[in-house]
Amino acid sequence: MRMGWVIATVIAACLIAPAPSGAAPPPGPCAGQSAKHGRAAANLERRARILKARGRPTAARALRRRARWEARLARYYEEQARARGLPRGAAVTLSTLLRSQVLRRSFLTGFEQLTPENEMKMERLQPARGVFRFAEADRMVRFARRYCKRVRGHALVYGRQLPHWATDGSLTAGQLGFEMEWHVQRVVERYAGRVADWDVVNEAIDADGDYTQNVWYLALGKAYIERAFRTAHDADPTARLYYNDSGIELPDHPHTLAVRKMVADLRRRGVPIEGVGIQNHVSTSHHASEAQMARTIRGFTDLGVKVAITEMDVRLDTPGTPARKLDSQRLVYRSAARACRKNPSCTSFSTWGVGDGVSWLGPAAAGLLFDRGYRRKPAYRAVSRSLGSPETP
Ligand code: XIL
C-alpha cells in the first residue's frame, strides 16, 4: 500500500515538474560531438609526444595547447548532454567571431545558441533591390552547425537597419508589400531546417503601446505583421516564428499589454505565431523582479505561445563598489533566468553579446556575462545554474 503511494507520488511529481520544452539539445551532430573532440585531443597529444621526442619542444607545446582546448570542448559537450539545461544563447557578429579566438572559445563552451547580431537584417541580406547577399549569414550558420549550436534568425521584418531602396520613398505601398513578402520567403526558404527559430517581426509596437510608425506600417498598416508571419510559415512550416520586442519585461506596462493584445488577436485569427521574444535590455536600477518576469512570461504563455528571453543585457547604473555592482547584476540575471526556467513554455535564454568589450552598448555599460577580458562574471554562473546548463571550467 505504502509502496503504491510512493510510486504514485513519484509519477505525479514527474508529471507536474516542468519539463523545459526547449531543453533537449538538437539531435544529430550533437550526439557525437564529445567523442569527436575527445579523439581530436588524443591525436594532438600523441603528435605532441612525437614532436617532443624529435627535439621540437616549441611545436610540441603548441599542439598540447590545442589538445587542451579539444579536451575542454569534449567535456563541455559531455556535460551538455548530461545536464540538458535550457539553451543559453548569445548574439555575435561574424567579424568578432573571425577576429577573436577568445570570443569564439567563450561562445563555444558558454552557449548553445547563436543569434547573428546584424548579418540577417534586411540591409545586409538585400542591400540592393532583388540582390541577395547571403555569404556572411551562411558562414555563421555553417559555424553554428559545425559545433552543434542552434541558430536564432534575427530579424526578418524590422523598421530599422533597412536598405536605402526600401526607405527612400520610391516604392508604392503595393510594391513594399510585395518586397516584404519576397524577402521573408527567400530568406526563410534558404535557411529552412537550419534556423529553428525566427524573429519574424521585431519592435512593431512602441513604449506607449502604439504601432511603431515604420516604413511597413506606414505603407500597409498593421496587416504587415500578419502577412510577414503567414509568408514565413509558408516558406518553412517547421520553423518556430516569434514576435520580438524590447521594453516588455514588466507585466503591466502599456507596451507589454499592447503586445499581449496584438498576440491574442493574431492567435484568434489563426496567424502562425508561435512565440514572443522578450529582449530584456535592462539595468541594475531598472529591471523586472523574478515575480514580475514570471508574471510577464505567464501573460504570454497563457495565450498559448512560447516565450524566449532573446537579448538580455544588464547595464551597471547603480552606485557602489565594483563587487557590489557585479552582485546586483548577478541578481537581475538570476531573476530572469529563474523565471524562464520555471515556465515550461520558456524555450531559451539569450544575451546580446558575449563579452563587455563587444557589446552594442559599449564597454562601459558592462552588461554581459563575460568581462572585457572574457573572464566569467558572477552573473554567468548564476544564469548557468538557474538554467541547468554546463559550466565547463
Ligand atoms: C543592434 C546591434 O547590436 C548593433 O550592432 C547595431 O548597430 C544596431 O542594432 N534590439 C534589436 C537588435 O532587436 O537588432 C539591436 O541590435 C539591439 C536592440
Side-chain angles (χ1 to χ4, degrees):
M1 182 66 188
R2 275 175 67 157
M3 195 57 186
W5 252 111
V6 172
I7 293 170
T9 315
V10 170
I11 292 173
C14 292
L15 291 175
I16 293 163
S21 53
C30 279
Q33 284 281 347
S34 179
K36 182 175 101 186
H37 292 287
R39 277 195 308 275
N43 268 336
L44 287 161
E45 272 295 345
R46 191 171 42 79
R47 281 165 52 201
R49 274 198 303 277
I50 295 172
L51 283 176
K52 193 167 174 223
R54 289 185 184 160
R56 295 179 54 199
T58 317
R61 267 199 300 280
L63 282 191
R64 220 161 245 139
R65 272 198 298 277
R66 281 175 51 199
R68 276 201 297 277
W69 163 242
E70 290 291 340
R72 187 170 157 213
L73 266 182
R75 244 181 0 261
Y76 162 79
Y77 286 110
E78 197 186 310
E79 284 169 23
Q80 188 200 343
R82 201 169 339 112
R84 302 179 82 79
L86 215 54
R88 296 166 294 187
V92 290
T93 64
L94 180 63
S95 65
T96 49
L97 212 49
L98 294 175
R99 195 178 58 223
S100 166
Q101 183 186 68
V102 54
L103 174 129
R104 252 186 340 265
R105 292 186 167 186
S106 307
F107 172 78
L108 287 175
T109 51
F111 298 90
E112 291 74 39
Q113 176 176 285
L114 178 155
T115 306
E117 190 167 329
N118 293 305
E119 292 77 357
M120 286 183 166
K121 289 174 181 168
M122 196 179 191
E123 68 175 358
R124 301 286 276 273
L125 288 183
Q126 202 186 159
R129 189 175 174 197
V131 179
F132 286 82
R133 298 244 184 277
F134 287 116
E136 292 188 332
D138 282 356
R139 283 184 83 167
M140 297 186 88
V141 172
R142 269 202 305 275
F143 169 82
R145 287 176 66 77
R146 172 141 55 96
Y147 288 100
C148 186
K149 307 293 179 186
R150 299 159 30 132
V151 179
R152 184 172 189 89
H154 174 85
L156 295 167
V157 179
Y158 187 17
R160 296 170 190 250
Q161 295 178 275
L162 290 167
H164 189 61
W165 62 266
T167 56
D168 65 5
S170 62
L171 301 186
T172 64
Q175 287 170 324
L176 274 171
F178 172 84
E179 293 299 343
M180 182 194 78
E181 290 183 349
W182 177 231
H183 181 83
V184 170
Q185 186 187 328
R186 274 295 302 269
V187 175
V188 174
E189 265 175 12
R190 181 172 189 92
Y191 297 109
R194 293 186 292 160
V195 171
D197 306 271
W198 275 107
D199 291 333
V200 176
V201 176
N202 195 34
E203 299 177 3
I205 291 182
D206 62 28
D208 307 327
D210 301 321
Y211 283 98
T212 305
Q213 306 280 300
N214 63 35
V215 65
W216 312 113
Y217 182 79
L218 292 173
L220 309 163
K222 67 173 186 170
Y224 85 87
I225 297 168
E226 170 168 354
R227 285 174 64 176
F229 276 97
R230 290 196 189 279
T231 309
H233 181 72
D234 287 346
D236 180 5
T238 66
R240 293 189 295 213
L241 308 180
Y242 281 71
Y243 171 76
N244 190 50
D245 210 341
S246 69
I248 57 167
E249 57 280 348
L250 292 172
D252 302 315
H253 193 284
H255 192 167
T256 314
L257 298 177
V259 171
R260 206 146 74 204
K261 193 164 149 238
M262 178 188 74
V263 172
D265 177 55
L266 292 170
R267 297 281 297 174
R268 228 182 352 260
R269 286 183 302 104
V271 177
I273 171 171
E274 210 177 314
V276 173
I278 301 174
Q279 294 186 6
N280 213 22
H281 294 290
V282 295
S283 75
T284 44
S285 70
H286 285 91
H287 58 86
S289 67
E290 183 180 336
Q292 285 172 321
M293 185 55 96
R295 216 148 57 76
T296 304
I297 295 176
R298 212 168 44 244
F300 291 123
T301 59
D302 281 351
L303 302 174
V305 293
K306 296 184 164 45
V307 161
I309 307 291
T310 51
E311 306 188 11
M312 188 161 176
D313 38 36
V314 183
R315 272 182 299 118
L316 303 184
D317 66 351
T318 39
T321 61
R324 236 347 241 285
K325 291 184 191 175
L326 289 177
D327 200 51
S328 311
Q329 184 179 57
R330 174 180 71 85
L331 295 174
V332 178
Y333 266 112
R334 192 180 67 175
S335 299
R338 282 185 172 177
C340 176
R341 174 69 163 174
K342 284 180 188 161
N343 187 317
S345 295
C346 189
T347 55
S348 64
F349 184 96
S350 299
T351 57
W352 205 242
V354 175
D356 290 336
V358 291
S359 162
W360 73 302
L361 298 171
L368 294 169
L369 298 178
F370 290 76
D371 70 12
R372 289 183 216 193
Y374 290 96
R375 285 172 295 263
R376 293 168 177 186
K377 293 158 69 177
Y380 173 85
R381 170 180 274 205
V383 166
S384 303
R385 296 243 157 122
S386 304
L387 299 177
S389 323
E391 287 177 61
T392 314

